[in-house]
């Protein structure tokens, strides 16, 4: 160690760490990275697949075929197993690749001092005690204590929810325990954004030890809850599984005792179990929701957790973060105020700015940076470019000579300019109204009048800055702002505007029976003004973070029934609010983009993160990510969620109906000692080709009329009402009767076993297609629904008929399925029987429609 190095390895005079010490700390303390859930590996996904009962039954059936010497049947079953596993792996890896690309795009870089030289390194390589060089536009890579700063202001909205940047001050070189938020703190925090000034800071914490990491670690103890649909489907699975196990045991015993072939008995039992097992419900649910995720991805919405799509239709409360979600997270000038006049700025109007306000706008630009990064300074420049372009009030040829930064004692900053073709300096100041009044040496009465006007503007949720001007003819500019003879020009009021489509989106959400609650870290006045403009209900008033802390859980839950706006809310309070809404029986959707939103995003039933401005932690915690940060896309996604549930309900009803003839034809020959019709390969053919294909048809069905004009469905509502269950089972029963009649007729005519099997299977497949057609709508008849465009329907019908023709008329496939050649008369019989099996449901819909029309008349 050289004499210039300290025992800790740091060098004085901002020399930074040595490269060797930095490498050692990176190895021992880990990278400067936030905690994540991590992605599932291939092995984990494969393990999930092989644990499924359907997978195990197929393997058992394949093993029995091998013992029986039927290699073709065994290989066919194993092929279907590989198809299922391949689809699952592809879908999982595709989602994770998109998320990893998002993380890579948002990874910051850092300028540090290493070995006495500036080095630009990846943010995850920053270590404790590194010296950071911070400038406007930099994303702070780690928590750090300021050693030096010049006019440093930082946007901490990702941690605090406050849109306005905060002023920083130099500390004593030691880390402080102060939380983010508020002016003059000597700390900068990981993930925040430098909007003005420069600074040098020593890193005090990295990765999970930062303020961001502290929030991120709390996410690891949470686990996402299953959606209501998942819970109901799993309950149905257990019911069918228990029934299948019971009947499987009865069939194996009956077949073995009566026919003496125990291996064939076991195979028959497995066939019946596969026909009854509810595995196809999960297959259809997965495929259906995956298609929904693909559909909304075309609108720049990434689905992080697919089951959230069906939960959207049941959402009753939408918790919305203000900054960057309801608002645009950019400042816009709203009002100009001088001693004698006021002016409401409206960029959409082609009117000229009154002369009385020209000087106020001119000096707001002169008091800002030449190439501004601060949102308020950008707003001043935009205003000037809009109204004063081409006039003598813009001075791009002037030279900035002196910068007077904000300080604890003077909440104002000034710029001294060397004016072209003038023998004097021009000085412009901006800052808090009381500070500018002090610089201008105004009387008590004048100061009180300015304060009253500033309070009026602040009550509208506006941020107010005052502007002043001065001239100086000396050779050298004085060291302090107070040494200038400032003249008060007026005040400029700014707002973070509400996104244009937000009011309509909130109106539609409320019309759909959803409550919209805004949760923000900003001040109550600002929150109330934004809520009013956005159309959020204010009947229950505004409740603040301290008031939330003063309430116990029961009282808080009671207040949440009427309150819709929450201000000055800390991150842990956001989580408590979401949990209180859930305790009230609400289905909660939470939108947000900041680290402070992450715990609530994960605790909510549906977490919706912003992908453009949002943090990695928020995206990891969310169910959905809006890649374009468009709040109105949330309503579109809710609309899609309702459509998904309605169409998924139709698909599930169809699956329940088609299950009856499949299970019936697996059991009927066993009960009456007749030749078997269905083997495992036949049932797998139906479930892995017909059933998922049908989900494509139902998924493509258009949205029902009035989907967003009715309240959310109850989250505890059963997937099938008794009426729906009975109608579905009755549909299946009539198709089973039609298929069984064809089976009995073919046996009576003395046809061979292979021909009987082929004719019965063809009738079952065609009856399956009939069930698809009649279940597209439970209110419109087939004649009406056929006029509704659905390209997927004809692809599925055509593809299924082609597959059926192949297994009936291609010799190799025909032998594999145990079929023989069918004549044209047999095919016509299959179509006629199938049509008769579903015709009653069309008559039922027609009669019900006539009754409804008569009631309306």
């Amino acid at each position: 160690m050289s004499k210039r190095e300290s025992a800790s390895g740091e060098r004085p005079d901002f020399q930074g760490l040595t490269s060797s010490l930095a490498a050692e700390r990176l190895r021992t303390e880990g990278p400067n990275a936030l905690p994540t859930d991590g992605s599932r590996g291939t092995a984990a996904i494969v393990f999930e697949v092989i644990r499924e009962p359907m997978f195990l039954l197929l393997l058992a059936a394949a093993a029995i075929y091998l013992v029986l010497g039927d290699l073709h049947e065994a290989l066919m079953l194993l092929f279907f197993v590989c198809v299922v596993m391949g689809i699952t792996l592809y879908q999982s890896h595709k989602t994770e690749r998109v998320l990893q690309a998002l993380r890579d795009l948002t990874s910051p870089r850092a300028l540090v001092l290493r070995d006495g030289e500036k080095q630009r390194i990846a943010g995850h390589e920053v270590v404790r005690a590194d010296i950071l060089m911070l400038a406007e536009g930099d994303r702070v890579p780690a928590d750090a204590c300021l050693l030096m700063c010049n006019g440093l202001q930082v946007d901490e909205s990702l941690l605090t929810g406050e849109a306005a940047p905060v002023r920083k001050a130099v500390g004593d070189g030691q880390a402080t325990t102060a939380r983010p938020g508020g002016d003059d703190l000597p700390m900068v925090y990981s993930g925040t954004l430098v909007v003005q000034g420069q600074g040098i800071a020593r890193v005090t914490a990295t990765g999970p030890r930062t303020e961001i990491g502290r929030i991120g670690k709390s996410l690891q103890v949470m686990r996402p809850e299953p959606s209501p649909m998942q819970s109901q489907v799993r309950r149905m699975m257990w019911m069918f599984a228990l029934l299948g196990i019971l009947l499987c045991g009865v069939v194996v015993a009956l077949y073995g005792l009566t026919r003496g072939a125990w291996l064939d008995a076991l195979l028959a039992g497995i066939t019946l179990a596969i026909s009854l097992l509810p595995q196809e419900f999960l297959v259809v649910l997965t495929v259906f929701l995956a298609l929904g995720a693909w559909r909304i991805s075309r609108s720049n919405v990434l689905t992080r957790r697919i089951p959230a799509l069906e939960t959207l239709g049941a959402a009753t409360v939408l918790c919305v973060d203000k900054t960057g979600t309801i608002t645009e997270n950019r400042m816009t000038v709203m009002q100009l105020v001088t001693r004698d006049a006021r002016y409401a700025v409206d960029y959409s109007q082609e009117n000229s700015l009154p002369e009385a306000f020209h000087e106020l706008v001119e000096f707001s630009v002169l008091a800002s940076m030449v190439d501004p990064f601060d949102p308020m300074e950008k707003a001043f420049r935009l205003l000037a470019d809009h109204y004063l372009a081409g006039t003598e009030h813009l001075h791009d040829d002037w030279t900035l000579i002196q910068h007077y930064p904000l300080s604890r004692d003077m909440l104002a900053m000034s710029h001294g300019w060397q004016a072209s073709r003038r023998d004097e300096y021009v000085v412009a100041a901006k800052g808090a109204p009381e500070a500018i009044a002090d610089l201008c040496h105004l009387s008590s009465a004048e100061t009180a009048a300015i304060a009253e006007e500033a309070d009026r503007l602040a009550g509208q949720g506006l941020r107010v800055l005052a502007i002043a001007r001065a001239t100086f003819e000396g050779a050298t500019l004085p060291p302090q702002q107070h040494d200038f003879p400032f003249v008060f020009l007026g005040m400029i009021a700014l707002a973070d505007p509400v996104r244009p489509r937000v009011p309509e989106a909130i109106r539609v959400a409320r019309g759909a029976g959803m409550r919209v609650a805004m949760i923000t870290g900003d001040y109550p006045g600002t929150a109330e003004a934004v809520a009013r403009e956005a159309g959020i209900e204010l009947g229950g008033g505004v409740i603040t973070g301290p008031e939330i802390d003063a309430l116990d859980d029961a009282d808080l839950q009671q207040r949440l029934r009427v309150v819709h706006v929450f201000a000055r809310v800390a991150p842990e309070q956001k989580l408590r609010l979401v949990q209180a809404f859930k305790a009230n029986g609400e289905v909660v959707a939470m939108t947000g983009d900041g680290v402070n939103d992450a715990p609530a995003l994960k605790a909510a039933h549906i977490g919706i993160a912003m992908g453009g401005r949002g943090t990695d932690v928020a995206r990891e915690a969310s169910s959905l990510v809006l890649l374009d940060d468009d709040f109105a896309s949330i309503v579109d996604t809710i609309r899609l969620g309702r459509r998904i549930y309605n169409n998924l309900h139709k698909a599930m009803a169809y699956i329940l109906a088609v299950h009856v003839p499949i299970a019936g034809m697996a059991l009927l020959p066993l009960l009456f000692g007749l030749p078997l019709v269905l083997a495992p390969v036949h049932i797998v053919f139906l479930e892995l080709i017909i059933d998922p294909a049908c989900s494509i048809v139902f998924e493509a069905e258009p949205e029902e009329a009035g989907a967003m004009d009715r309240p959310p469905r109850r989250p505890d509502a059963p997937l099938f009402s008794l009426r729906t269950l009975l109608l579905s089972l009755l549909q299946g029963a009539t198709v089973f009767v039609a298929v069984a009649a064809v089976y009995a007729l073919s046996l009576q005519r003395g046809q061979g076993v292979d021909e009987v099997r082929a004719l019965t299977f063809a009738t079952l497949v065609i009856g399956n297609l009939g069930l698809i057609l009649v279940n597209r709508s439970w209110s419109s008849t087939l004649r009406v629904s056929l006029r509704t465009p659905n390209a997927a329907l004809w692809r599925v019908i055509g593809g299924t008929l082609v597959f059926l023709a192949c297994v009936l008329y291609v010799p190799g496939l025909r032998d594999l399925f145990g079929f023989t050649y069918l004549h044209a008369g047999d095919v016509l019989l299959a179509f006629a029987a199938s049509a008769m099996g579903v015709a009653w449901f069309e008559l039922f819909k027609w009669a019900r429609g006539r009754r409804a029309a008569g009631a309306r008349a």
Side-chain angles (χ1 to χ4, degrees):
M1 182 181 297
S2 69
K3 293 181 180 179
R4 290 182 57 83
E5 289 182 303
S6 66
S8 66
E10 301 167 25
R11 299 184 179 185
D13 303 325
F14 306 145
Q15 295 298 303
L17 299 177
T18 62
S19 296
S20 59
L21 180 58
E24 175 64 19
R25 285 193 177 168
L26 185 63
R27 185 186 65 82
T28 57
E29 298 183 4
N32 180 34
L34 300 178
T36 66
D37 290 337
S39 59
R40 295 182 302 163
T42 301
I45 299 173
V46 171
F47 182 68
E48 288 182 7
V49 175
I50 64 176
R51 288 188 306 171
E52 295 293 340
M54 176 69 78
F55 182 90
L56 298 176
L57 284 172
L58 291 175
L59 288 183
I64 294 174
Y65 276 122
L66 287 175
V67 172
L68 294 175
D70 195 337
L71 182 61
H72 288 166
E73 294 281 356
L75 292 177
M76 177 66 76
L77 290 179
L78 292 176
F79 168 75
F80 283 128
V81 168
C82 293
V83 169
V84 172
M85 188 174 294
I87 292 173
T88 306
L89 286 171
Y90 172 76
Q91 290 175 341
S92 299
H93 284 303
K94 183 176 181 180
T95 299
E96 292 300 333
R97 282 198 303 271
V98 174
L99 289 168
Q100 185 58 49
L102 275 175
R103 288 191 288 266
D104 293 342
L105 285 174
T106 57
S107 178
R109 296 185 66 79
L111 182 63
V112 301
L113 285 175
R114 294 270 177 90
D115 299 316
E117 297 181 356
K118 295 181 181 180
Q119 299 182 26
R120 183 74 66 177
I121 63 173
H124 67 266
E125 295 178 2
V126 172
V127 298
R128 180 173 53 83
D130 255 329
I131 300 297
L132 300 175
M133 313 294 291
L134 302 173
E136 289 185 8
D138 286 347
R139 183 75 66 179
V140 179
D143 288 3
C145 180
L146 285 166
L147 304 175
M148 187 177 148
C149 68
N150 181 17
L152 187 66
Q153 294 190 42
V154 180
D155 178 359
E156 295 183 347
S157 61
L158 294 178
L159 290 170
T160 66
E162 296 185 33
V166 294
R167 182 179 62 253
K168 294 296 179 180
V170 175
D172 57 7
Q174 301 298 319
T176 178
T177 57
R179 301 291 297 277
D183 291 320
D184 297 323
L185 286 179
M187 293 289 295
V188 289
Y189 300 94
S190 177
T192 59
L193 183 67
V194 178
V195 297
Q196 184 171 295
Q198 301 83 34
I200 300 175
R202 177 184 287 111
V203 174
T204 58
T206 60
R209 295 167 291 277
T210 63
E211 190 70 19
I212 283 182
R214 183 187 65 80
I215 298 174
K217 283 195 294 186
S218 69
L219 303 179
Q220 294 179 311
V221 301
M222 300 182 194
R223 292 295 178 264
E225 301 176 3
S227 69
M229 176 71 77
Q230 285 178 310
S231 300
Q232 293 187 44
V233 168
R234 292 192 182 280
R235 284 196 296 270
M236 291 180 59
M237 285 176 58
W238 277 108
M239 292 169 53
F240 277 87
L242 292 175
L243 178 62
I245 291 172
L246 177 63
L247 290 180
C248 179
V250 171
V251 165
V252 170
L254 181 64
Y255 193 106
L257 291 173
T258 58
R259 306 192 186 189
W262 288 99
L263 274 180
D264 289 337
L266 186 58
L267 190 60
I270 290 175
T271 301
L272 182 61
I274 293 175
S275 70
L276 287 173
L277 263 182
Q279 179 70 23
E280 70 279 358
F281 283 101
L282 280 182
V283 171
V284 171
L285 180 63
T286 301
V287 172
F288 201 100
L289 295 179
L291 288 172
W294 168 79
R295 189 176 294 277
I296 68 168
S297 71
R298 299 167 67 185
S299 301
N300 290 317
V301 179
L302 172 67
T303 305
R304 170 67 171 159
R305 296 183 179 88
I306 287 180
L309 292 181
E310 53 91 1
T311 313
L312 280 168
T316 58
V317 172
L318 177 58
C319 296
V320 184
D321 180 63
K322 177 182 75 66
T323 304
T325 306
I326 288 290
T327 65
E328 297 180 1
N329 196 39
R330 66 173 179 86
M331 287 293 181
T332 298
V333 175
M334 304 299 293
Q335 293 189 44
L336 302 175
V337 179
T338 65
R339 292 179 184 270
D340 305 317
R342 298 173 183 167
Y343 181 76
V345 177
D346 186 354
Y347 289 102
S348 65
Q349 298 297 323
E350 295 296 332
N351 53 354
S352 59
L353 183 68
E355 182 69 31
F357 300 96
H358 284 195
E359 194 174 31
L360 176 63
V361 176
E362 173 187 1
F363 276 83
S364 71
V365 174
L366 291 175
S368 305
M369 301 300 290
V370 175
D371 186 15
F373 191 84
D374 180 277
M376 289 179 289
E377 294 186 350
K378 284 184 175 181
F380 294 158
R381 186 73 200 193
L382 178 65
L383 180 70
D385 289 341
H386 183 77
Y387 286 116
L388 302 180
T391 70
E392 73 280 4
H393 295 288
L394 296 184
H395 308 287
D396 294 334
D397 57 338
W398 287 12
T399 304
L400 180 61
I401 302 299
Q402 182 69 44
H403 171 69
Y404 298 90
L406 290 164
S407 67
R408 296 183 184 181
D409 300 326
M410 176 52 63
L411 300 180
M413 60 175 291
S414 300
H415 282 167
W417 296 87
Q418 177 63 63
S420 299
R421 298 181 298 276
R422 292 173 63 173
D423 295 331
E424 61 184 1
Y425 295 103
V426 177
V427 185
K430 65 179 173 70
E434 64 274 14
I436 296 297
D438 182 30
L439 282 179
C440 296
H441 304 289
L442 300 180
S443 66
S444 298
E446 290 174 315
T447 301
I450 290 172
E452 181 180 354
E453 181 66 17
D455 290 342
R456 183 188 68 82
L457 294 170
Q460 300 174 26
L462 303 176
R463 181 170 174 80
V464 183
L465 290 181
I467 308 296
R469 65 168 175 82
T471 57
F472 184 78
E473 297 181 352
T476 305
L477 289 173
Q480 297 181 3
Q481 300 180 74
H482 261 298
D483 296 329
F484 294 107
F486 280 110
V487 176
F488 185 83
L489 296 178
M491 292 181 288
I492 299 180
L494 306 97
D496 184 6
V498 171
R499 291 178 180 269
R501 297 176 62 197
V502 163
E504 175 62 16
I506 290 178
R507 187 195 65 78
V508 173
R510 290 175 60 182
M514 292 182 60
R515 297 176 57 198
V516 180
M518 187 175 74
I519 304 174
T520 178
D522 220 328
Y523 291 96
T526 303
E528 184 174 356
V530 171
R532 185 178 294 107
E533 183 179 356
I536 298 174
E537 293 182 60
L538 286 167
V542 180
I543 186 171
T544 64
E547 292 173 329
I548 292 173
D549 284 338
L551 297 174
D552 60 25
D553 290 344
D555 290 337
L556 178 60
Q557 291 170 29
Q558 188 63 32
R559 290 292 302 276
L560 293 190
R561 300 184 188 279
V562 294
V563 176
H564 297 84
V565 180
F566 305 85
R568 305 302 289 168
V569 176
E572 57 273 13
Q573 292 169 332
K574 289 189 176 187
L575 176 59
R576 187 183 175 205
L577 286 173
V578 170
Q579 292 172 334
F581 274 121
K582 292 168 67 176
N584 277 346
E586 308 280 8
V587 178
V588 183
M590 167 74 185
T591 68
D593 58 2
V595 174
N596 59 330
D597 300 324
L601 283 170
K602 193 162 188 177
H605 294 100
I606 311 153
I608 308 172
M610 301 298 168
R613 183 179 177 272
T615 60
D616 286 344
V617 174
R619 283 194 289 269
E620 290 285 349
S622 65
S623 304
L624 304 175
V625 180
L626 303 183
L627 299 180
D628 58 358
D629 286 7
D630 187 352
F631 175 81
S633 298
I634 297 169
V635 175
D636 295 336
T637 307
I638 292 171
R639 185 189 303 273
L640 178 64
R642 295 195 174 191
R643 169 184 164 182
I644 286 174
Y645 183 84
N646 291 335
N647 290 343
L648 184 58
H649 187 270
K650 298 175 188 176
M652 289 293 189
Y654 154 76
I655 292 298
L656 186 61
V658 81
H659 226 59
V660 175
I662 293 175
M665 291 311 301
L667 185 61
L668 180 66
L670 295 173
L671 294 177
F672 294 96
L674 301 173
L676 297 181
V677 175
L678 299 178
V681 68
H682 301 128
I683 297 177
V684 171
F685 173 89
L686 290 168
E687 293 184 349
L688 295 188
I689 296 179
I690 303 299
D691 293 351
C694 294
S695 69
I696 297 174
V697 173
F698 291 117
E699 190 276 338
E701 286 296 307
E703 172 190 333
E704 293 184 5
M708 295 296 285
D709 296 328
R710 53 178 184 260
R713 69 178 188 276
R714 293 192 350 261
D716 59 345
L719 183 60
F720 293 112
S721 65
L722 180 60
R723 175 177 174 275
T724 302
L725 182 66
L726 291 176
L727 283 174
S728 296
L729 292 176
L730 187 56
Q731 287 184 62
T734 54
V735 172
F736 166 64
V737 169
V739 175
V742 170
Y743 172 68
L745 179 61
S746 59
L747 287 176
Q748 186 179 12
R749 292 191 307 191
Q751 294 174 284
V753 173
D754 290 348
E755 189 174 359
V756 170
R757 183 182 296 113
L759 179 55
T760 305
F761 183 78
T763 307
L764 183 57
V765 171
I766 296 169
N768 190 341
L769 295 179
L771 288 172
I772 295 173
L773 291 171
V774 299
N775 278 283
R776 287 184 63 199
S777 173
W778 279 36
S779 57
S780 301
T781 62
L782 182 60
R783 182 174 59 87
V784 174
S785 62
L786 285 177
R787 291 201 296 263
T788 303
N790 190 334
L793 171 68
W794 304 112
R795 288 197 296 267
V796 166
I797 291 177
T800 302
L801 292 176
V802 168
F803 273 113
L804 180 60
C806 289
V807 299
L808 289 176
Y809 298 109
V810 175
L813 286 175
R814 187 172 62 215
D815 295 340
L816 187 62
F817 278 77
F819 295 157
T820 190
Y821 183 88
L822 284 185
H823 299 284
D826 293 329
V827 175
L828 290 176
L829 175 62
F831 273 99
S834 300
M836 293 177 62
V838 297
W840 74 270
F841 192 56
E842 284 299 302
L843 293 174
F844 168 78
K845 290 190 292 183
W846 177 80
R848 188 173 61 175
R850 289 289 298 272
R851 287 197 302 270
R856 288 193 297 269

